[in-house]
Amino acid sequence: WSLPDKKGDSLKLEAVLPCKAIPSAIVADGPRVWVGCLDGSIKLWEQKNGTMGSKPLVFDAGSPVLCLSLKDDLIACGTSDGAVIVMREADFGAQTSSAERWHPWVKEKDDGYGARTRAVAIEHGAVWAGSNEGDIKRRWIDSTVFDLAPKRKDAGSENGRRQCIFDESRDEEALLPGHKGAVVDFAARDGGFLISGAHDSTLRVWKVDVPESEGGPKCLYGFGGYKVWLGSVVCDGLRLVSDGSDNTVLVHDFSLPSNEEKPTK
C-alpha cells in the first residue's frame, strides 16, 4: 500500500505478493520487501521500473521464520528451532555458506532447542536475540571485516576466503534481568540505547554501550501500561511508540535532555 498525499484520501494498493505460506515477519526497505514465512522461507521482492517483480528470491531457513531484521548490508532472522541466521544481502538467495547460524539458547533435547527466537535486531554493532522465555542475548559483529559501513565489492572475502560475520573472539552476552514473557520486538536509538518489548506487557530501556569494566549493559528502567500482550515497539529518536493486543497505542517522550545521559521517562 502507499500512503495518501492528502488527508481524507484512501490508501492505494500497489502490489499483491503471493507468499504461498503464512507470512510471519515483514521488513520493507525502500523498493524491496522481505517476508519471512512459517514454511521456513524468506522471500525478497524488489521493485523495478515502478513495478514489483512477480518472482521473488528465496532463502530456506530450515525452520519456521518468526522475525526479521535488516541493517545496511546484513539481514538476520530468528526461527522456531531457536536459531538466529545472519547473511549478507549480496548473498541472499544463493544458498551459500555465507549464512551463519547462532543458537543463543541452551539445547535441551537432541531433536530441538529449549526456546524459540521471537525477536532479532542488528543494532549497535551486534546481533540481538530475544526468546519466547524472556531472555535477551547479544553477539558481536566482527568489525574488522564488516563495520556496518557502505557495501564494498570485497566485503565478503579476503584472499578468496570467506570472512565471518560474527566476532569469534568475543563471547555472547546475556542482558539481565530477563523479561517474564516472550520478547517480541526491539528498537534502538543513538547513544547506545536498546529497547525490548515483551509479552509480560513491559518495555525495558537498556544502555548497551557500557564497557565490561563497568559492569556491561544495564537496564535503566521499564515501562508498563498494557492490560494484555505488548505487540511491537518503534523509536524515531524522539518518541517511543508501542502497541498492545488490548487495542492501545502508547507514546512516550524519548528525547535526550541537554543535561541528562538517558531518555526522559
Side-chain angles (χ1 to χ4, degrees), residues 22-256:
I22 298 175
S24 53
I26 300 174
V27 176
D29 175 35
R32 299 174 300 174
V33 178
W34 308 76
V35 180
C37 300
L38 294 183
D39 65 353
S41 67
I42 303 174
K43 297 178 173 66
L44 168 61
W45 279 273
E46 188 166 4
Q47 189 180 53
K48 295 182 180 179
N49 300 320
T51 303
M52 195 68 72
S54 60
K55 187 175 181 180
L57 291 175
V58 180
F59 175 83
D60 182 10
S63 181
V65 177
L66 303 181
C67 49
L68 288 172
S69 180
L70 185 68
K71 185 76 170 184
D72 294 331
D73 189 45
L74 290 181
I75 182 169
C77 75
T79 63
S80 66
D81 68 353
V84 174
I85 303 172
V86 185
M87 73 190 82
R88 294 177 176 85
E89 287 185 43
D91 295 329
F92 184 84
Q95 297 297 135
T96 67
S97 58
S98 67
E100 297 185 21
R101 292 178 181 265
W102 168 37
H103 286 281
W105 324 119
V106 176
K107 187 175 181 180
E108 295 183 344
K109 299 178 181 179
D110 292 337
D111 59 350
Y113 287 81
R116 299 178 179 179
T117 301
R118 288 294 310 276
V120 66
I122 305 170
E123 296 289 350
H124 303 304
V127 178
W128 304 84
S131 79
N132 65 319
E133 297 179 348
D135 300 313
I136 300 174
K137 287 193 176 182
R138 167 173 66 180
R139 190 167 180 190
W140 290 99
I141 295 170
D142 190 338
S143 61
T144 64
V145 297
F146 188 80
D147 57 6
L148 299 184
K151 295 185 229 181
R152 306 187 310 272
K153 290 184 178 180
D154 60 345
S157 63
E158 181 180 359
N159 298 325
R161 181 169 54 88
R162 173 65 60 181
Q163 296 185 14
C164 294
I165 295 173
F166 289 119
D167 187 345
E168 300 294 342
S169 68
R170 305 178 72 172
D171 295 332
E172 64 181 43
E173 302 168 82
L175 269 60
L176 300 174
H179 283 275
K180 295 181 180 179
V183 179
V184 293
D185 207 1
F186 291 112
R189 80 176 309 279
D190 293 341
F193 297 102
L194 183 79
I195 305 94
S196 58
H199 277 177
D200 57 6
S201 302
T202 67
L203 296 171
R204 291 187 182 177
V205 178
W206 306 83
K207 194 75 164 68
V208 298
D209 60 354
V210 181
E212 294 182 12
S213 60
E214 298 179 17
K218 291 179 170 55
C219 182
L220 301 181
Y221 45 78
F223 298 114
Y226 292 107
K227 297 177 182 178
V228 200
W229 285 349
L230 180 145
S232 61
V233 56
V234 294
C235 177
D236 65 358
L238 297 176
R239 295 159 297 182
L240 186 61
V241 182
S242 54
D243 70 275
S245 58
D246 56 357
N247 298 324
T248 300
V249 174
L250 297 181
V251 181
H252 295 277
D253 177 10
F254 207 57
S255 57
L256 281 173

